[in-house]
Amino acid sequence: MGGSRGRSRGIERAGIRPFQAFLEENREIVYRFLVASAGRGNADDLFQETFLAALRAYPRLAHGSNLRSWVLSIATHKVIDAARAARRRPVAVADPDEVKPDPGRDLSGSPADNRPEHLMLDPREPLWRAVRALPAKQQAAVVHRFVLDRSYQEVGMALGCSEEAARANVSEAVRKLRERMNHVDAVH
Amino acid sequence: MWMPFTEDDASGLDGLDGLTDLAGADAEPRSRALAERFEAVAVEEGLADVTYDFADSPFGALLVALTRRGLVKLDYPDRDVDRELEAIAAGVSPRIIRSARATEAVRRQLEEYFEGKRRTFDVPVDLALSSGFARRVLSAAARIPFGSVATYREVATRAGNARATRAAGNALGSNPVPIVVPCHRVVRTGGGLGGYTGGLARKMALLRLEGALGPAASSVG
């Protein structure tokens, strides 16, 4: 009798949210992460790549997965991969301690893409540039921790490393940011 | 090796307070626009196993959901959409994306039906959410023509078990695609209307729309 209600067949997969609901629940945090760690010029494409990768893998997800952690770790890998790809391109990479505009660090590698970003983030530009100049992993770590307000355990999950390593990445990033910002203050 | 901070982050952030809102205030509308673009691309590239949207009707907005094989779910507005989509995620696939475009044909046909301009639906039906005898009952009900009715016994007989009228009633009561699989055309042998998944008032409204029920008829069996 129970078998005549078709729904019973899917019980082992129950608990996986419909993708549309998952998208609605996570689009904003993913976007904020991408803007903060890869810049506006890259966030749009990385957003598409992140959710397409998530959609492809979605039916294979384990029951009871933490979907938010999962999609943010996909986004983190997309950002780190894009940063590595950009670094391999034959564009001038500025001295990391240099505070002047630094198009070579931009993931797109195209100075034209940087311009609107300058305008939009003008008030905090030096800090912005300092974050963008960090190594990709530290940059992602600092964004997870301070922009998204996630715990070190969650930062570690997103980066694929231990909680201690996440903590170390964040503190090293903060040390570098402070150094650079002091330098900016001294220059102005 | 670097030294981790021993103090916690609030003090670690002195002078860097701009960090906390680095992502900007427009993340909500911007991410919504990006999500809409993503939905279109995902559907275009065939990555959605199920697409859905809502169709206008005199009863309110009807949920319609499609698989690659056809219409898998149609729901009246009083059903909880989240719950219904979760049932589809469990029973068919969780790769469910909202799409006006993919559902356009079925939504248009429903609107034409309610305007009295359409007698048959030209959309394939996917009975993935039903199985066994229930599926055979629904297949039998799908063949009752516009404007006519059949009895529970007749439908049970066509489904292969003339004695299973109660089971046939249950199968019709949990029809995942009402209106398009016209379970409203199944009535009692003595002339009573029987039950309906969307409530008896809707069954009467549909039969009246199809001319299968006189305007004054109200005999509830």
Side-chain angles (χ1 to χ4, degrees):
Chain A
M1 200 66 194
S4 69
R5 302 273 314 209
R7 280 171 196 180
S8 58
R9 288 178 303 141
I11 272 169
E12 70 279 4
R13 274 189 296 167
I16 297 281
R17 299 281 284 142
F19 194 88
Q20 186 72 42
F22 157 79
L23 173 66
E24 289 301 319
E25 286 154 6
N26 293 287
R27 61 176 162 78
E28 189 176 343
I29 195 169
V30 166
Y31 181 70
R32 293 179 64 219
F33 169 76
L34 293 172
V35 169
S37 58
R40 247 166 224 281
N42 302 296
D44 288 13
D45 285 348
L46 289 170
F47 183 96
Q48 302 299 329
E49 284 179 30
T50 296
F51 278 105
L52 283 172
L55 180 58
R56 288 199 174 92
Y58 205 65
R60 300 190 300 274
L61 260 184
H63 167 78
S65 301
N66 181 332
L67 295 175
R68 175 156 291 187
S69 283
W70 177 69
V71 72
L72 283 169
S73 73
I74 295 176
T76 304
H77 288 123
K78 293 288 176 196
V79 166
I80 292 173
D81 288 352
R84 284 186 185 139
R87 212 159 287 149
R88 279 197 296 273
R89 264 177 241 147
V91 287
V93 175
D95 175 358
D97 288 327
E98 179 58 72
V99 183
K100 276 188 286 181
D102 184 5
R105 306 296 301 195
D106 198 83
L107 298 182
S108 68
S110 154
D113 286 353
N114 290 341
R115 228 154 267 142
E117 194 177 300
H118 279 217
L119 297 175
M120 268 183 267
L121 293 167
D122 192 43
R124 285 189 276 275
E125 191 183 315
L127 177 56
W128 178 249
R129 301 222 148 264
V131 171
R132 302 291 302 283
L134 292 170
K137 204 164 179 179
Q138 287 176 22
Q139 188 172 302
V142 102
V143 170
H144 277 297
R145 183 66 195 100
F146 298 119
V147 182
L148 305 184
D149 197 26
R150 307 180 78 216
S151 72
Y152 282 112
Q153 193 196 355
E154 290 171 317
V155 179
M157 275 161 66
L159 295 175
C161 65
S162 68
E163 191 176 330
E164 288 68 34
R167 210 175 268 275
N169 268 292
V170 170
S171 51
E172 177 62 5
V174 168
R175 189 186 63 72
K176 282 188 189 155
L177 287 177
R178 180 161 304 112
E179 228 173 72
R180 230 155 267 165
M181 294 311 288
N182 289 339
H183 185 48
V184 172
D185 289 344
V187 168
H188 289 338
Chain B
M1 215 44 207
W2 47 65
M3 288 285 292
F5 277 133
T6 46
E7 76 270 44
D8 224 341
D9 307 310
S11 51
L13 265 187
D14 274 348
L16 300 174
D17 7 307
L19 261 184
T20 51
D21 47 12
L22 206 48
D26 66 342
E28 206 294 315
R30 190 77 197 117
S31 69
R32 188 190 314 134
L34 287 171
E36 279 164 18
R37 191 194 302 171
F38 163 80
E39 289 157 25
V41 170
V43 170
E44 237 165 67
E45 295 196 356
L47 292 171
D49 296 330
V50 179
T51 52
Y52 75 95
D53 210 334
F54 298 89
D56 289 335
S57 87
F59 307 127
L62 306 173
L63 169 70
V64 294
L66 296 160
T67 63
R68 292 185 185 83
R69 290 194 296 187
L71 183 65
V72 77
K73 192 83 182 125
L74 192 155
D75 261 316
Y76 285 111
D78 31 42
R79 304 293 283 268
D80 179 336
V81 171
D82 284 345
R83 296 275 302 268
E84 294 305 322
L85 292 176
E86 271 166 24
I88 298 172
V92 181
S93 164
R95 287 205 282 211
I96 301 174
I97 303 279
R98 184 166 178 168
S99 171
R101 193 167 187 178
T103 56
E104 194 192 343
V106 62
R107 288 186 296 113
R108 196 190 55 240
Q109 290 188 27
L110 281 164
E111 284 159 28
E112 290 166 356
Y113 168 80
F114 283 112
E115 287 164 7
K117 294 177 189 159
R118 171 174 287 277
R119 298 163 66 93
T120 56
F121 290 99
D122 188 22
V123 284
V125 168
D126 180 355
L127 291 177
L129 294 171
S130 303
S131 58
F133 184 64
R135 193 184 284 209
R136 293 201 298 279
V137 167
L138 293 168
S139 299
R143 290 190 290 271
I144 307 169
F146 182 99
S148 60
V149 293
T151 64
Y152 288 98
R153 183 186 302 275
E154 284 166 341
V155 171
T157 306
R158 288 173 207 163
N161 188 349
R163 297 167 59 84
T165 52
R166 187 173 292 275
N170 288 339
L172 294 164
S174 59
N175 178 8
V177 233
I179 304 172
V180 173
V181 170
C183 58
H184 59 275
R185 294 174 193 158
V186 184
V187 297
R188 290 201 170 173
T189 307
L193 281 179
Y196 188 57
T197 164
L200 211 52
R202 286 180 181 142
K203 185 173 194 170
M204 290 170 69
L206 292 173
L207 289 173
R208 217 168 265 141
L209 172 75
E210 298 181 0
L213 187 71
S218 63
S219 66
V220 175

